[in-house]
Amino acid sequence: MAPTRGRRRLLTLSGFLLAALTLLAIGGPLRSAGSGLARAIVSPFVDVVRGITKPVGETFAGAFNYADVVAQNHQLERELALLQLQQRTEGFNQTRLSELLALDRLPFLGALPFAVAQTNYENLSDFTATIEIDVGSSAGVLAGMPVVGAGGLVGIVSSTTSGGATVTLLTDASQSIGVTFGSAHFQAVVHGQGAGQALDEDFVAPGTPVHRGETMYTSGLQGGLFPAGIPVGTVVGTQIHRGATEVSISVKPLANLSALDYVDVVLWEPGS
Amino acid sequence: MTATKWAWLLAAGLVIVVAQLTLADELTIAGVHAELVWVLPVAVGLAAGTRAGMAAGLAGGAVADLFLPTPFGLTALAGVLLGFSVGRLGEEGIGDLSGSAWWVAPSIAFGGGLVAPVLFAILGAALGHRSYLSVTLGVVCVLDAVACALLVRPVMRVLGSHVVDDSSRAGPLEPVRGTL
């Protein structure tokens, strides 16, 4: 009796595994067909529950973190003053920079069109660092386009539907971004290490002058994934191991990736 | 498994997605949050046995996969294996859940929640997504384990009687009778 039961159980397991593997094999079309329907079913409930839980959560956050809110307000005031100052000098700098980049035939962020997008969902999975935005192919958004906002580079569009897109954040472990830094325009590559983690930088030779707080920008080299001049992050730590051929550099993203209510999709395709 | 039971599992999967998007995703530690999708195969596997646990893993995983940026079907695959393992442990390791101490089901669920993300990451890595085996995996495991342990008994209570597939079993916390 026992072997029969065991065999039956094994057969059932095989059947379920086969079903799951079939889903994996034909996943793309199934997801495209089912995702819109599932979101349409779930969205009203999500809105209702968020409508109930959000005020409660914000009340608690305000009550227990009031000092933080005041500190953030002061910081925002300082940042606003700094931005106003930068804005007054930006026109001149942009003209100079776009002229220089045009000479090198490199794309420049300031000259490119944007599509403003609202973030629907953030970090749906613990295994990928992504956000879902509410503009898609119908607004001209295509896979591979860079996304900026909240102070710097946010990530890259990884997939689109007609009314939405998934953006893979620069902290995702699959991301590699060519950057430039310093007055001598040193080149390097930064890699994502997972959501909430600092970026890791390599291809920097020992002796390269790199300082804590230094800002890294996209290099925009020909064939690069991003236009030149998008701020990526600041250096938060450097380390060189004995006998190593590279400096280990830790970079903190400039964009506040935990507060991405709105982002801008740069309507620019890699290689264009 | 009848169509009604599959419908219950799909509905439970959608409810879990709503809870995930509204509550669990807001509570992050070290940039990660608890993934509630594993609660379904664990609770159903304990309440209703191996076959129902696997069905819960497949249905709940497929629903979750519609919302996740990870490969479609990967959560379902991990869910089937989790439902099978927990179901077998519930049937043959513990047997009489209603007669056991209150902490037995949460303890098994804690173990299931601890293993599920590792299983998912290994399957993902086998499919070429090596980045899933990241440094935050440990935190994910702990959060998922805690979520499973906290939610397993309520989910068993609500869902168990609707998905029991074994006629020898009376309810969600009843033992499998006469199987040995």
Side-chain angles (χ1 to χ4, degrees), chain A residues 31-261:
Chain A
R31 174 178 271 163
S32 306
S35 182
L37 177 67
R39 279 162 203 265
I41 294 169
V42 160
S43 286
F45 296 101
V46 169
D47 291 342
V48 168
V49 178
R50 273 187 181 161
I52 296 165
T53 57
K54 204 176 176 188
V56 177
E58 284 175 352
T59 305
F60 273 97
F64 292 105
N65 301 316
Y66 183 71
D68 289 346
V69 174
V70 172
Q72 278 178 5
N73 194 30
H74 289 315
Q75 190 185 342
L76 286 172
E77 283 172 2
R78 279 197 302 274
E79 285 177 5
L80 180 64
L82 189 65
L83 285 170
Q84 283 171 339
L85 180 69
Q86 283 177 352
Q87 195 181 21
R88 283 163 195 150
T89 57
E90 191 181 23
F92 175 75
N93 291 337
Q94 276 199 1
T95 309
R96 292 288 300 273
L97 183 58
S98 57
E99 283 169 3
L100 285 170
L101 288 167
L103 287 174
D104 283 342
R105 296 188 179 183
L106 295 179
F108 171 56
L109 180 66
L112 297 168
F114 292 87
V116 181
Q118 190 173 6
T119 304
N120 290 333
Y121 302 111
E122 291 179 34
N123 291 327
L124 290 172
S125 170
D126 285 332
F127 294 92
T128 56
T130 58
I131 58 170
E132 305 266 325
I133 57 173
D134 67 348
V135 295
S137 53
S138 59
V141 172
L142 300 171
M145 287 181 166
V147 179
V148 297
L153 181 68
V154 167
I156 190 164
V157 176
S158 49
S159 65
T160 60
T161 59
S162 63
T166 302
V167 177
T168 303
L169 303 182
L170 74 163
T171 49
D172 188 85
S174 65
Q175 289 289 319
S176 295
I177 301 156
V179 294
T180 182
F181 63 95
S183 54
H185 304 296
F186 294 106
Q187 305 289 326
V189 177
V190 292
H191 303 280
Q193 301 292 310
Q197 307 292 312
L199 308 167
D200 190 38
E201 183 164 357
D202 57 20
F203 299 129
V204 179
T208 306
V210 55
H211 312 289
R212 212 180 163 87
E214 191 156 51
T215 304
M216 306 275 167
Y217 299 90
T218 52
S219 59
L221 291 173
Q222 292 282 10
L225 290 173
F226 302 95
I230 307 176
V232 175
T234 52
V235 176
V236 288
T238 59
Q239 204 174 13
I240 181 159
H241 301 287
R242 198 179 175 86
T245 55
E246 288 178 357
V247 186
S248 174
I249 301 173
S250 192
V251 177
K252 184 185 174 191
L254 271 168
N256 182 2
L257 300 180
S258 59
L260 293 174
D261 291 338

Side-chain angles (χ1 to χ4, degrees), chain A residues 9 13 16-17 20 23-24 27 31 34-35 38-39 42 46 49-50 53 123-128 130 173 197, chain B residues 14 21-22 32-33 35 54-55 65-70 72 77 80 88 91-92 117 120 131-132 136-137 140:
Chain A
R9 185 179 283 148
L13 172 65
F16 276 104
L17 285 178
L23 289 182
L24 258 173
R31 174 178 271 163
S35 182
R39 279 162 203 265
V42 160
V46 169
V49 178
R50 273 187 181 161
T53 57
N123 291 327
L124 290 172
S125 170
D126 285 332
F127 294 92
T128 56
T130 58
Q197 307 292 312
Chain B
L14 285 170
L21 295 175
T22 52
V32 296
H33 48 71
E35 301 217 330
M54 287 190 285
D65 278 329
L66 289 172
F67 294 83
L68 294 171
T70 48
F72 186 82
L77 183 60
V80 166
R88 281 211 72 177
E91 280 174 354
E92 295 183 8
F120 182 91
S131 60
Y132 292 0
T136 53
L137 187 57
V140 177

Side-chain angles (χ1 to χ4, degrees), chain B residues 119-179:
Chain B
L119 189 64
F120 182 91
I122 290 171
L123 290 170
L127 290 171
H129 300 272
R130 294 184 70 185
S131 60
Y132 292 0
L133 294 163
S134 66
V135 286
T136 53
L137 187 57
V139 186
V140 177
C141 288
V142 173
L143 285 177
D144 289 2
V146 171
C148 280
L150 289 175
L151 296 174
V152 68
R153 284 188 78 92
V155 176
M156 283 170 77
R157 283 275 175 211
V158 172
L159 208 58
S161 58
H162 298 291
V163 292
V164 167
D165 203 29
D166 189 341
S167 56
S168 62
R169 192 185 287 221
L173 294 175
E174 289 293 314
V176 178
R177 297 190 188 101
T179 53

